[in-house]
Amino acid sequence: MSKKNKNADMAESSHLNKISQPTNIGFNILFILIALICVIPVVFVFMISISAEESIQMNGYRFIPEVFSLDAYKFLFDEGEMIIRALGVSIFVTVVGTVLGVMLTTLMGYVLSRNTYKLNNFFTMIVFIPMIFNGGMVAQYVVNTQLLHLRDTVWALILPLCVSSFNVVIAKTFFKTNIPESIIESAQIDGASQLQIFGKIALPLAKPLLATIALFLTFGYWNDWFQSSLYITDQKLLSLQALLNSIQRNIEMMANNPSAGISMVEYMNSMPREGARMAMAIIIIIPIACCYPFFQKYFISGLTVGAVKG
Amino acid sequence: MKKKRIVALAMTAAMCAGLLAGCGNDSNEGGSTSEDGVVTLKWVTVGNGMPDNYDAWLEQVNPYLEEKIGVNVDMEVVGWGDWDNRRSVITNSGEYFDILFTDQTRFSSEVSNGVFLDITDMLQETTPELYELIPEDYWKAVSSDSKIYGVPTMKDNAITEYFVWDKDIADKYGIDINAITDFDSLYPALQKIKEGEGTAPFFMSKAGASVLIDMNFDDLSSGSKVIGVKYGDDGATVVNPLDDPDILANLETIHKMYSEGLINGDAPTADDTNKYHMLFIAQGWSGAAKTTWGPNFGIANCEAVQFGDSVMCNKTIQGSINGIYSGCKNPEKALELLQLINTDTKLRDLFYFGVEGEDWQYTDDNKVERLETDWALAGYTQGNTYIVSQQTTEETSQWDEVIALNDAAVRSGLLGFSMDTSEVTTQLANCNAVYEKYYPELFTGAQEPNALIEKMKGELETAGWDELCAAAQEQVDEFMGK
Amino acid sequence: MEKEKKKNLKRRWNKNDTELTILALPTTIWYILFSFLPMFGLIIAFKDYKISAGHGFIYNVFHSEWAGFENFEFLIKSNDLFVILRNTILYNLVFIVVGTILAVALAMMISELWSKRKSKVYQTLMFFPYFMSWVVAAYFLDAFLNQDNGLINGMLRDAGNDPIQWYMTAGVWPFILIFMYLWKSTGYNMVIYLANISGIDGTLYEAAVMDGASKWQQARFITLPCLKNVVIMMFILNVGKVFYSDFGLFYQLTQGASGSIFNTTATIDTFVFNNLQSNMPVGMTSAATFFQSVACCITILLANWIVKKIDEDSAII
């Protein structure tokens, strides 16, 4: 117990005991190693992005380039307008999509978690079937373009991704295990409607869940390029990841089609070079890494926060 | 209370059906005609995505087209990487377009799927000039069952393979590159360079020397590398190219090269990246060494030496085709547009180089000076490349050489024959699977060829190669009998 | 529990049900539009899909001829069916088991670190790989494994050994692929367990400390049992994907998943991609996906059934 007094940090989180010091050091060393394994590739990508194009051409990728050059970043700076627009699209899609997705996911998750609900089985099926079966790319394309007219709109990047049965099941399980039936029943006796219970009781208790779902959605939207490759022709609507991916795949396609011969080689020349692509990969990681701590406080801040008391 | 659930289910089903009916609607929005009778044609093609100055370009192109043939264009330029998926959803979903670019990888399957309109009669009635312009062999190559389904592009329609050298390196070791026209004569030269430089001189990507098949066999437009008819085989026997003794002999040489480190070790997995190479194989024409390969691969003094003959078959001609949608509402207009772009130099330049005054301009001697080189449309996809204006950077028109190569090419006896694979789709796919699995290690010399080919043949047999071959032979015989 | 449900079905519709239905409505509409409507596309797997001039997709689907199971033949009759099925399933099983153990263990460890600031930094860094596409990761791997100028072969040469053709050595790929999978996904997978650990009732630990429980005992008797539900849920969800594989992982890193390493790297998805390129009928690709869906449906129902036998509450349906 004396340790508690020594450490103010610990006092806050009402966690009364700690792991022993050697264990703590051991864990730290382990995590430092893991963190290194995760960061070195990023450093590697960064090193390529500041290598001179000639040294990539001659020696392939190296950790320490022979000749340094900031050309890649200069190139991106020259294309600044395009990059900033793409960043804007990425942010808009991610924010709107995440908000919408969290709403839809938790609503459904909450409904499914209510055992006494009559249509529970029916809605479980509604969620379960799409987890297994999907109509395929062409059918989705037909519905999205010919019925919903989403082609070349920002909604084509947002709507198709905002609910996933995976997330709904996570939400359902969370509500079911972490929100005691007794609270809900007593609220009902007080005359609260389900909407009130959901908004005033369930959601405030489900902050870690909201953060988890929001995080999954945010990362999903930020990383997505496939929607863009199907639905977006207008270059103004390309997100950052879509921009990088389209360049990447353009090059890949040409590199894998030597039979198309010289006509392809010519077009390869107009593609951004390796350095520029790597610089873009760096630019994609930075904003999202900066936003992670925002979610993080719900996962790691004192272990008891958010838990249900009695 | 099961009723409630049934009602709910029924309601959902009804909603689905209603919505489906909404999008099952056949009334595509395309093919619009404005009040003054000007038709807007939608042309789907591949390139570097939509150009930034697309609107400015439309302002130049559309008035010109309107005046000449009374149409406007609406281009959809799909990025290279998105092309495969996007064209597949566009054609299969029934989305409206008028003209679609296509090439040998998909042309025959799209024709058999019913994507393209039969333009045989219309060609001669509406656009006789276009029909006359393009050689008859080319029309044959884009026909199926004697019906023409697309307009082929005049370009490098024969394929010719080259050893592309860094001449400085060759000179350093006293190698006469012009004397090297096959793998056997290449071998000692490579040894000499390797001894001096210490690194592997010959770069191969994972495609390796698989061009050996393309150079010697007509693939019957099957898209498969494991069946073919050898050029010059008048009996037109369908065989497995891997059985060919010449190819095997070459592969043995290549295997020797690989084992001795004359070929880059990562060849079986390497891509055709823009890295510096001392020597590599490429398809094109010798002039391209100066204009394209040299600059792209960072070779200061680049020279290309032809090996093998130029060959021409359906597949090589089909490198660029523009087809008209089978549901096109204004097929005559679409064909007129294709005729104009194949005959009118001004329009051709606009499509090829971009916005006049912004991307390029005419000089006094009617050459084109490019101001920007990042125009997103791919010139080779559009039409006749011979009428594109000569650029100021070129001393002579590079197309003269291309035309000569086309004329000199060995022609397949099966021009105009394309195999109907619908009865043997499974066998074809499984045979291709065997080839796909092993070709990088076979054609880069990473594995001993005799044993590997035996292994492949064993797997081909279980994959149904015999049925595939029999079906092909039957169709070929029928065609030759005509 | 089961009784309760049955009672539930018999009771009359009440206000509660109406309110919950309204809450479920927006998401249901989404499901209808984006999941159920496109499902008519499943029919293509059984059709010889042809385009009729000027008609839309639905017309074409219904007017194409039935092909029976012809589209499935390619996959079923393939020589390699056994290999690709085995690889897909085994890799997934290893990913599920090792991935879960690692993620749970690391999540428990990271939440015990003394310094919360450090643990936040570690977490953030562990997320970096998730944002690198497999293409970029493949460059990185190539820098180590490249035959001519890779780091490892460079070291082998310096030590006087013969270089190894990594991209043609089948035996090493299971380890590489498992390592790379864990590298990319562990940071992400940890999140869900972290969220649940932070949801555990703190009074449980307080009580345990009063009783003199050690840290290890707390982990074993409080944290792990509290995570049981979510671990089982993740297990079922992942089992529902054992016939799918992460295409980028298997294709990009191995640079094509073919040749000498085919036997240890090819999965259903890479196989379909390599062989059903655009000139093959759409029906065949649909058939491959349909095959995967049905297989997954069976496994997920089976897993759910087994879980239900053991512990009713943890099942997802």
Side-chain angles (χ1 to χ4, degrees), chain B residues 371-424:
Chain B
L371 307 171
E372 293 282 340
T373 50
D374 60 352
W375 178 239
L377 271 65
Y380 86 98
T381 64
Q382 302 155 342
N384 195 348
T385 39
Y386 307 158
I387 60 165
V388 176
S389 296
Q390 193 177 334
Q391 294 180 45
T392 45
T393 49
E394 300 169 358
E395 283 158 28
T396 55
S397 173
Q398 53 180 337
W399 300 114
D400 295 341
E401 189 194 347
V402 173
I403 295 172
L405 284 171
N406 283 345
D407 289 342
V410 176
R411 276 158 208 250
S412 163
L414 290 166
L415 264 180
F417 170 77
S418 71
M419 182 179 168
D420 172 14
T421 56
S422 57
E423 295 303 313
V424 283

Side-chain angles (χ1 to χ4, degrees), chain C residues 249-267:
Chain C
L249 168 65
F250 289 96
Y251 188 83
Q252 305 287 4
L253 292 188
T254 61
Q255 314 214 356
S258 62
S260 303
I261 57 172
F262 181 88
N263 282 338
T264 55
T265 58
T267 63

Side-chain angles (χ1 to χ4, degrees), chain C residues 189-294:
Chain C
N189 287 341
M190 262 170 63
V191 166
I192 186 134
Y193 300 114
L194 274 174
N196 274 277
I197 290 175
S198 56
I200 295 172
D201 188 347
T203 53
L204 292 175
Y205 293 103
E206 280 163 28
V209 172
M210 297 298 172
D211 292 345
S214 72
K215 208 61 224 179
W216 173 245
Q217 285 168 322
Q218 290 172 39
R220 184 144 168 238
F221 296 109
I222 303 175
T223 318
L224 277 181
C226 285
L227 286 179
K228 189 192 78 184
N229 271 353
V230 66
V231 169
I232 291 175
M233 174 196 73
M234 294 301 281
F235 168 74
I236 300 177
L237 289 176
N238 286 325
V239 161
K241 288 187 287 191
V242 288
F243 287 89
Y244 292 98
S245 60
D246 184 342
F247 176 75
L249 168 65
F250 289 96
Y251 188 83
Q252 305 287 4
L253 292 188
T254 61
Q255 314 214 356
S258 62
S260 303
I261 57 172
F262 181 88
N263 282 338
T264 55
T265 58
T267 63
I268 300 178
D269 299 86
T270 62
F271 185 75
V272 168
F273 178 84
N274 270 336
N275 303 308
L276 290 188
Q277 275 145 1
S278 39
N279 54 348
M280 286 291 157
V282 277
M284 288 169 86
T285 340
S286 306
T289 321
F290 193 82
F291 172 82
Q292 289 174 304
S293 298
V294 172

Side-chain angles (χ1 to χ4, degrees), chain C residues 2-258:
Chain C
E2 199 56 32
K3 264 185 208 153
E4 203 178 295
K5 265 193 181 161
K6 280 201 182 115
K7 205 166 55 188
N8 196 14
L9 283 176
K10 280 187 199 130
R11 106 184 132 66
R12 292 184 68 85
W13 183 269
N14 62 19
K15 174 168 157 278
N16 219 354
D17 294 322
T18 317
E19 283 170 4
L20 285 171
T21 311
I22 293 170
L23 287 186
L25 206 60
T27 319
T28 311
I29 292 174
W30 183 92
Y31 268 111
I32 291 172
L33 287 179
F34 293 97
S35 288
F36 286 95
L37 277 183
M39 274 194 200
F40 68 89
L42 288 172
I43 310 173
I44 306 184
F46 302 95
K47 288 274 192 175
D48 180 17
Y49 184 76
K50 288 270 183 294
I51 293 155
S52 333
H55 286 290
F57 181 65
I58 295 168
Y59 179 94
N60 292 337
V61 168
F62 288 108
H63 285 76
S64 296
E65 274 173 46
W66 287 102
F69 286 91
E70 239 167 64
N71 287 327
F72 292 84
E73 276 179 17
F74 153 69
L75 205 58
I76 306 296
K77 283 193 180 167
S78 160
N79 304 332
D80 301 314
L81 180 68
F82 170 73
V83 171
I84 57 177
L85 270 182
R86 179 198 67 193
N87 287 352
T88 314
I89 296 173
L90 280 186
Y91 273 116
N92 270 307
L93 289 182
V94 174
F95 290 167
I96 292 173
V97 174
V98 180
T100 309
I101 293 175
L102 194 68
V104 171
L106 290 179
M108 285 167 68
M109 283 157 76
I110 212 168
S111 59
E112 292 293 349
L113 290 181
W114 285 10
S115 157
K116 294 300 162 225
R117 214 188 37 182
K118 274 189 196 154
S119 88
K120 283 181 181 175
V121 173
Y122 296 144
Q123 262 192 72
T124 310
L125 295 181
M126 284 171 73
F127 258 116
F128 275 30
Y130 185 76
F131 294 101
M132 287 176 67
S133 62
W134 283 122
V135 180
V136 177
Y139 289 146
F140 178 67
L141 193 64
D142 191 68
F144 282 94
L145 302 184
N146 191 292
Q147 163 76 4
D148 299 331
N149 45 18
L151 278 177
I152 299 182
N153 278 349
M155 280 191 276
L156 286 176
R157 274 194 205 98
D158 291 345
N161 294 320
D162 281 336
I164 295 172
Q165 289 184 313
W166 297 103
Y167 287 96
M168 288 170 67
T169 309
V172 297
W173 281 94
F175 301 102
I176 297 176
L177 289 173
I178 291 167
F179 178 81
M180 292 303 281
Y181 166 81
L182 293 174
W183 167 76
K184 181 146 165 147
S185 63
T186 301
Y188 187 81
N189 287 341
M190 262 170 63
V191 166
I192 186 134
Y193 300 114
L194 274 174
N196 274 277
I197 290 175
S198 56
I200 295 172
D201 188 347
T203 53
L204 292 175
Y205 293 103
E206 280 163 28
V209 172
M210 297 298 172
D211 292 345
S214 72
K215 208 61 224 179
W216 173 245
Q217 285 168 322
Q218 290 172 39
R220 184 144 168 238
F221 296 109
I222 303 175
T223 318
L224 277 181
C226 285
L227 286 179
K228 189 192 78 184
N229 271 353
V230 66
V231 169
I232 291 175
M233 174 196 73
M234 294 301 281
F235 168 74
I236 300 177
L237 289 176
N238 286 325
V239 161
K241 288 187 287 191
V242 288
F243 287 89
Y244 292 98
S245 60
D246 184 342
F247 176 75
L249 168 65
F250 289 96
Y251 188 83
Q252 305 287 4
L253 292 188
T254 61
Q255 314 214 356
S258 62

Side-chain angles (χ1 to χ4, degrees), chain B residues 88-331:
Chain B
S88 149
V89 292
I90 288 177
T91 55
N92 286 316
S93 69
E95 185 169 296
Y96 190 83
F97 60 87
D98 292 286
I99 303 173
L100 175 73
F101 164 74
T102 187
D103 62 18
Q104 80 279 358
T105 54
R106 304 168 197 88
F107 180 71
S108 46
S109 70
E110 277 165 353
V111 168
S112 69
N113 250 345
V115 177
F116 294 124
L117 187 72
D118 168 12
I119 53 171
T120 323
D121 300 329
M122 206 190 301
L123 254 180
Q124 295 173 40
E125 285 157 22
T126 320
T127 54
E129 198 188 337
L130 178 64
Y131 186 68
E132 289 302 314
L133 174 76
I134 294 176
E136 205 195 332
D137 279 346
Y138 291 18
W139 290 120
K140 271 196 205 161
V142 293
S143 310
S144 171
D145 237 355
S146 310
K147 294 186 194 115
I148 297 171
Y149 287 98
V151 178
T153 301
M154 306 230 279
K155 55 189 264 291
D156 45 334
N157 298 92
I159 58 163
T160 315
E161 297 292 339
Y162 291 85
F163 289 127
V164 184
W165 290 87
D166 182 344
K167 184 88 173 9
D168 293 339
I169 294 280
D171 288 347
K172 186 167 155 196
Y173 295 96
I175 294 161
D176 176 14
I177 58 171
N178 289 310
I180 295 174
T181 53
D182 57 25
F183 287 100
D184 283 332
S185 51
L186 182 62
Y187 178 58
L190 291 181
Q191 283 178 315
K192 220 187 276 176
I193 302 178
K194 164 94 180 183
E195 218 167 275
E197 298 286 314
T199 53
F202 189 10
F203 173 82
M204 275 195 180
S205 72
K206 70 167 104 176
S210 59
V211 291
L212 285 171
I213 292 185
D214 302 313
M215 288 164 63
N216 293 298
F217 289 88
D218 181 326
D219 77 340
L220 317 173
S221 304
S222 63
S224 170
K225 302 259 191 191
V226 290
I227 53 168
V229 169
K230 195 159 187 177
Y231 286 107
D233 175 7
D234 297 326
T237 332
V238 181
V239 293
N240 183 350
L242 298 177
D243 279 335
D244 191 78
D246 294 345
I247 290 186
L248 182 64
N250 276 318
L251 285 177
E252 277 169 346
T253 313
I254 293 167
H255 177 58
K256 217 157 43 175
M257 291 178 185
Y258 186 89
S259 318
E260 290 175 25
L262 306 179
I263 295 172
N264 51 316
D266 61 355
T269 54
D271 285 331
D272 260 341
T273 43
N274 282 3
K275 295 204 176 81
Y276 167 79
H277 313 308
M278 291 179 214
L279 166 68
F280 59 97
I281 307 176
Q283 178 212 318
W285 54 91
S286 66
K290 287 276 172 293
T291 58
T292 311
W293 292 320
N296 271 19
F297 294 96
I299 307 170
N301 189 3
C302 181
E303 251 173 66
V305 183
Q306 180 176 350
F307 72 98
D309 293 324
S310 293
V311 292
M312 189 184 278
C313 68
N314 285 356
K315 190 168 87 173
T316 66
I317 295 171
Q318 290 170 354
S320 161
I321 304 169
N322 282 291
I324 296 174
Y325 178 43
S326 54
C328 176
K329 297 207 171 98
N330 299 291

Side-chain angles (χ1 to χ4, degrees), chain A residues 1 9 14-21 24 27-28 30-32 34-35 37-42 44-45 59 61 63 104 107-108 110-111 114-119 123-124 126-135 138-140 142-144 147-148 150 159-160 162-166 168-170 172-174 176-177 188 193-195 208 212 215-216 219 222-223 248 252 277-278 285 288-289 292 296 298-300 303-305 307-308, chain C residues 1 4-5 8-13 16-17 19-21 23-24 26-28 30-31 33-42 57 106 109-114 116 118-120 122-132 135-136 139-140 143-144 149 151 179 183 188 191-192 194-203 205-206 209 213 215 218 229 233-234 237-238 240-241 244 252 289-290 293-294 296-297 300-301 313 315-317:
Chain A
M1 292 296 136
D9 187 5
S14 59
H15 207 53
L16 292 169
N17 53 345
K18 290 201 291 185
I19 47 174
S20 67
Q21 182 149 20
N24 186 45
F27 282 7
N28 268 301
L30 179 71
F31 278 109
I32 288 171
I34 294 176
I37 292 174
C38 292
V39 172
I40 286 172
V42 181
F44 173 72
V45 169
N59 309 320
Y61 308 121
F63 260 100
L104 292 176
L107 271 173
M108 196 56 148
Y110 174 74
V111 172
R114 304 284 32 104
N115 269 330
T116 51
Y117 177 44
K118 258 189 122 44
L119 295 181
F123 282 111
T124 302
I126 291 247
V127 172
F128 174 68
I129 293 171
M131 205 151 102
I132 306 290
F133 294 98
N134 74 77
V138 180
Q140 279 161 0
V142 170
V143 171
N144 290 341
L147 175 71
L148 303 171
L150 295 182
L159 292 177
C162 72
V163 181
S164 98
S165 295
F166 189 82
V168 174
V169 172
I170 291 177
K172 171 197 155 178
T173 310
F174 187 94
K176 212 168 170 179
T177 48
Q188 273 174 317
S193 72
Q194 287 291 345
L195 182 63
T212 314
L215 183 85
F216 285 176
F219 287 7
W222 192 264
N223 257 353
Q248 202 76 265
E252 215 174 303
R277 274 140 56 199
M278 295 300 151
I285 298 182
I288 198 81
Y292 181 60
Q296 206 172 27
Y298 297 100
F299 305 134
I300 207 85
L303 288 182
T304 53
V305 178
V308 190
Chain C
M1 190 73 187
E4 203 178 295
K5 265 193 181 161
N8 196 14
L9 283 176
K10 280 187 199 130
R11 106 184 132 66
R12 292 184 68 85
W13 183 269
N16 219 354
D17 294 322
E19 283 170 4
L20 285 171
T21 311
L23 287 186
T27 319
T28 311
W30 183 92
Y31 268 111
L33 287 179
F34 293 97
S35 288
F36 286 95
L37 277 183
M39 274 194 200
F40 68 89
L42 288 172
F57 181 65
L106 290 179
M109 283 157 76
I110 212 168
S111 59
E112 292 293 349
L113 290 181
W114 285 10
K116 294 300 162 225
K118 274 189 196 154
S119 88
K120 283 181 181 175
Y122 296 144
Q123 262 192 72
T124 310
L125 295 181
M126 284 171 73
F127 258 116
F128 275 30
Y130 185 76
F131 294 101
M132 287 176 67
V135 180
V136 177
Y139 289 146
F140 178 67
F144 282 94
N149 45 18
L151 278 177
F179 178 81
W183 167 76
Y188 187 81
V191 166
I192 186 134
L194 274 174
N196 274 277
I197 290 175
S198 56
I200 295 172
D201 188 347
T203 53
Y205 293 103
E206 280 163 28
V209 172
K215 208 61 224 179
Q218 290 172 39
N229 271 353
M233 174 196 73
M234 294 301 281
L237 289 176
N238 286 325
K241 288 187 287 191
Y244 292 98
Q252 305 287 4
T289 321
F290 193 82
S293 298
V294 172
C296 285
C297 187
I300 199 171
L301 288 176
D313 256 357
I316 62 163
I317 33 172

